[in-house]
Amino acid sequence: MSSDALLAKLRQLPKDIDRYELLRNLQQDNAELFFQLLFQHTEELLPYVYTPTVGQACQEYCARGFSTRGLYLSAADKGRMLQKLRAWPQQEISLAVVTDGERILGLGDLGVGGMGISEGKALLYTVAGGVPPCSVLPVCLDVGTNNKALLEDPTYTGLKQRRLTGAAFDAVMDEFMSAVQAWRPHVLVQFEDFGNVNAFRVLDRWRERCCCFNDDMQGTAAVALAGLLAGMRATGGSLEQQTFLFLGAGEAGTAIGELISQQLVRRHGLSRQQARGGCYYVDSKGLVCAARRQELQHHKLPFAHDRPFLPDLESAVRQLKPSVLIGVAAQPGAFTPAILSLMAQQHQHPVIFSLSNPTSLAECTAQQALEATEGRAVFASGSPYPPLVLPGGRQVFPAQANNAYVFPAVGHAAVLTRCSSIPDAVFLEAAEALGAMSSSQQLAQGRLFPPLSEIRTACEQLTVHLVQFMVGSGLGRLPEGVAATPGDAAGWLDVVRQRCFAPAIANGGSRQQQQQQGARQLVVARSKL
């Protein structure tokens, strides 16, 4: 079937999950055509292979009987993880995306169904970042599940036991990380959708010991900060003049606050305490404040300011008068018309970021935010929304704060330079570079980020920037095969482009060239649980 015929068939399917399954089967049966379609129709197809559709795919992963393209490692594999890695059909792995399935998007514990997230992120490394698909390994660590419905589901293929915790969990995680380092010492490990308790501990334990990062925390923070910097460009504001209020004080929310604080220290001369002082959080019990310190988790304590307790989001908006409202709590509709209108009363250009995924869990839609603020809001969301025409005829393209703008570039740059570790400075560099990419005309249209149709160009530019930063700061070294530091930006761009994957058919070329590239880069290995 031709690409045009496949695309027509996909567009006729009644449900997004059906489109996801068609594309998934195509990747297995004809990887070259699959990547050709994704490269040529990125903006249209990305929501089907990743958010928001991937959330449903993870929920139904076992029931639908998907044949995984990644590697499952379970608690039952104790003592054999290195052996299983060495038995993987493709050994030239440079990057691994690993989840334990405990906190998939805003959907919670989906157990081994979380493999869909690792597979989706692996795809984005190729489609957005140019990383060859055969060099990315999706991994799911099966340490059990606390999802009662899954434990009682006869189609569920994971361990039928409650999740390991504490030392037992750490033993599994430590064996995996040690096995990866013994197997491929320079593999980058991306942690994905771990629960709050383990996400912080795992990152803190390994971030100085090897090349790794947590996309839910650091990637989300970078793209959110980039959106804020672009928003300041759009309105003429300045980051240090803003007051930030978060709904949700988990790993993503506090990571955003920490990166904002670091940017204020780095570029505006504030102390860390002063910078954090402008970030407020409302969790399930109300305002995070000093009066609650005894009950707060450690990651909330830096933001427990000496302010009177407030019981809910609306009272916090009324009293604190935030200029920036960020939702990361997966509470659909939490940004009510009353709250949005209040933001508009208090500020000429309120910043409204409804970042929870998938769309069904968003705090508000783009239309709700813009209607309640008379079109004056600077808006971004976690999942995509279609263009809107406001009263008066102005067309707005709601910004999607998609981590795919950041993590593929960070990962690819780290792989190319064999980066020793990935400190927060890398994500600050990424945020600044991404936040400067949209033109004035694009900002006026609501595009805080380049269109998804241009995401490869954006990631390419960001990869070039980060390669230079990693080499220049001593975190990494010149990419393999590069004898001397390129003399200008064009030279660095050539270095990166020569190492980026692109489907042969999409770029033309002889059938022999296509077959050679397909054999080299389109290996699709599969394993059974």
Side-chain angles (χ1 to χ4, degrees):
M1 186 179 293
S2 69
S3 60
D4 289 342
L6 268 171
L7 200 59
K9 179 179 178 181
L10 180 136
R11 289 167 176 165
Q12 291 170 358
L13 291 173
K15 299 178 181 178
D16 288 351
I17 190 65
D18 298 328
R19 298 182 179 95
Y20 173 93
E21 191 157 8
L22 183 149
L23 290 167
R24 186 182 183 92
N25 291 336
L26 179 63
Q27 183 181 7
Q28 179 173 316
D29 298 336
N30 190 337
E32 286 194 30
L33 183 55
F34 169 79
F35 282 108
Q36 178 192 352
L37 278 175
L38 271 185
F39 271 62
Q40 292 179 335
H41 304 278
T42 304
E43 189 165 19
E44 178 182 357
L45 299 184
L46 209 56
Y48 304 139
V49 298
Y50 199 62
T51 56
T53 313
V54 73
Q56 183 179 355
C58 290
Q59 289 175 309
E60 302 173 8
Y61 199 92
C62 296
R64 287 179 175 265
F66 291 139
S67 176
T68 181
R69 291 186 295 277
L71 174 65
Y72 281 107
L73 294 170
S74 81
D77 292 317
K78 182 174 174 56
R80 298 188 298 117
M81 290 190 185
L82 179 57
Q83 177 184 345
K84 292 192 75 169
L85 287 168
R86 285 174 171 164
W88 185 248
Q90 173 59 40
Q91 288 291 296
E92 296 302 312
I93 298 296
S94 59
L95 196 155
V97 183
V98 58
T99 185
D100 72 344
E102 186 175 7
R103 193 202 61 81
I104 300 299
L105 302 176
L107 300 171
D109 186 348
L110 300 184
V112 297
M115 176 61 85
I117 286 290
S118 292
E119 292 171 333
K121 286 291 175 79
L123 275 181
L124 293 178
Y125 268 111
T126 297
V127 176
V131 179
C134 63
S135 66
V136 187
L137 175 62
V139 179
C140 183
L141 296 178
D142 183 6
V143 293
T145 178
N146 294 339
N147 187 326
K148 183 179 178 182
L150 292 180
L151 291 173
E152 296 174 353
D153 185 349
T155 68
Y156 183 67
T157 55
L159 294 175
K160 295 290 186 74
Q161 65 181 47
R162 292 187 63 80
R163 284 187 169 273
L164 298 180
T165 59
F169 173 87
D170 291 344
V172 172
M173 197 71 218
D174 287 353
E175 180 175 346
F176 169 72
M177 293 298 292
S178 298
V180 167
Q181 290 183 299
W183 173 51
R184 300 282 295 170
H186 295 289
V187 165
L188 164 69
V189 177
Q190 175 180 317
F191 303 122
E192 188 68 30
D193 283 356
F194 285 75
N196 281 348
V197 172
N198 290 326
F200 290 101
R201 292 192 312 109
V202 169
L203 182 60
D204 287 345
R205 182 170 176 78
W206 290 97
R207 65 187 306 169
E208 302 296 334
R209 299 166 62 182
C210 65
C211 187
C212 65
F213 70 94
N214 183 306
D215 183 52
D216 309 297
M217 296 165 65
Q218 297 163 289
T220 299
V223 77
L225 177 57
L228 292 171
L229 295 175
M232 296 303 99
R233 292 175 54 220
T235 62
S238 179
L239 198 68
E240 82 273 13
Q241 297 172 345
Q242 310 307 309
T243 299
F244 306 90
L245 178 60
F246 295 80
L247 178 62
E251 57 191 90
T254 55
I256 297 171
E258 285 289 358
L259 203 67
I260 290 171
S261 300
Q262 291 184 43
Q263 180 71 3
L264 291 172
V265 171
R266 184 189 198 205
R267 296 301 187 200
H268 299 279
L270 276 66
S271 69
R272 179 62 68 88
Q273 184 177 0
Q274 289 173 323
R276 287 171 170 165
C279 296
Y280 295 91
Y281 290 81
V282 172
D283 63 12
S284 60
K285 296 182 180 180
L287 182 69
V288 172
C289 59
R292 295 179 53 202
R293 290 186 68 88
Q294 294 301 316
E295 69 181 48
L296 294 174
Q297 296 168 287
H298 75 282
H299 60 275
K300 300 180 185 182
L301 291 175
F303 302 100
H305 308 311
D306 190 11
R307 299 281 306 213
F309 174 75
L310 297 167
D312 53 38
L313 181 64
E314 185 169 348
S315 63
V317 170
R318 193 174 301 279
Q319 293 297 319
L320 299 174
K321 295 180 172 53
S323 53
V324 178
L325 182 61
I326 299 177
V328 282
Q331 294 183 19
F335 292 175
T336 64
I339 288 173
L340 294 169
S341 296
L342 189 56
M343 291 286 297
Q345 292 170 25
Q346 295 171 341
H347 300 280
Q348 179 64 25
H349 294 290
V351 178
I352 311 292
F353 281 11
S354 172
L355 300 183
S356 293
N357 278 315
T359 310
S360 60
L361 298 178
E363 289 79 12
C364 70
T365 66
Q367 185 167 352
Q368 290 166 343
L370 291 168
E371 283 182 353
T373 61
E374 301 174 332
R376 293 185 280 115
V378 175
F379 178 83
S381 58
S383 290
Y385 287 105
L388 299 172
V389 178
L390 302 181
R394 176 187 167 214
Q395 189 173 28
V396 174
F397 297 84
Q400 184 188 1
N402 194 324
N403 290 21
Y405 285 109
V406 170
F407 76 81
V410 171
H412 200 183
V415 166
L416 290 177
T417 63
R418 295 196 171 192
C419 201
S420 57
S421 64
I422 306 180
D424 286 339
V426 171
F427 293 95
L428 290 170
E429 288 287 329
E432 285 191 343
L434 178 59
M437 284 187 187
S438 290
S439 67
S440 298
Q441 181 180 1
Q442 289 173 325
L443 292 175
Q445 297 173 333
R447 295 187 188 272
L448 303 180
F449 310 98
L452 278 176
S453 59
E454 301 173 10
I455 193 169
R456 272 186 305 283
T457 300
C459 278
E460 182 180 77
Q461 294 173 359
L462 192 52
T463 302
V464 169
H465 180 82
L466 294 177
V467 165
Q468 290 177 270
F469 175 75
M470 289 172 180
V471 173
S473 64
L475 290 169
R477 58 193 192 219
L478 288 173
E480 190 173 352
V482 179
T485 302
D488 54 21
W492 282 107
L493 182 60
D494 285 342
V495 167
V496 171
R497 280 183 173 170
Q498 290 169 12
R499 289 155 178 80
C500 282
F501 166 84
I505 297 176
N507 290 341
S510 70
R511 168 53 57 181
Q512 182 180 7
Q513 290 172 327
Q514 294 164 13
Q515 290 174 340
Q516 288 174 344
Q517 188 166 14
R520 185 171 64 252
Q521 294 185 315
L522 294 177
V523 174
V524 181
R526 293 179 289 277
S527 71
K528 295 294 184 180
L529 181 64

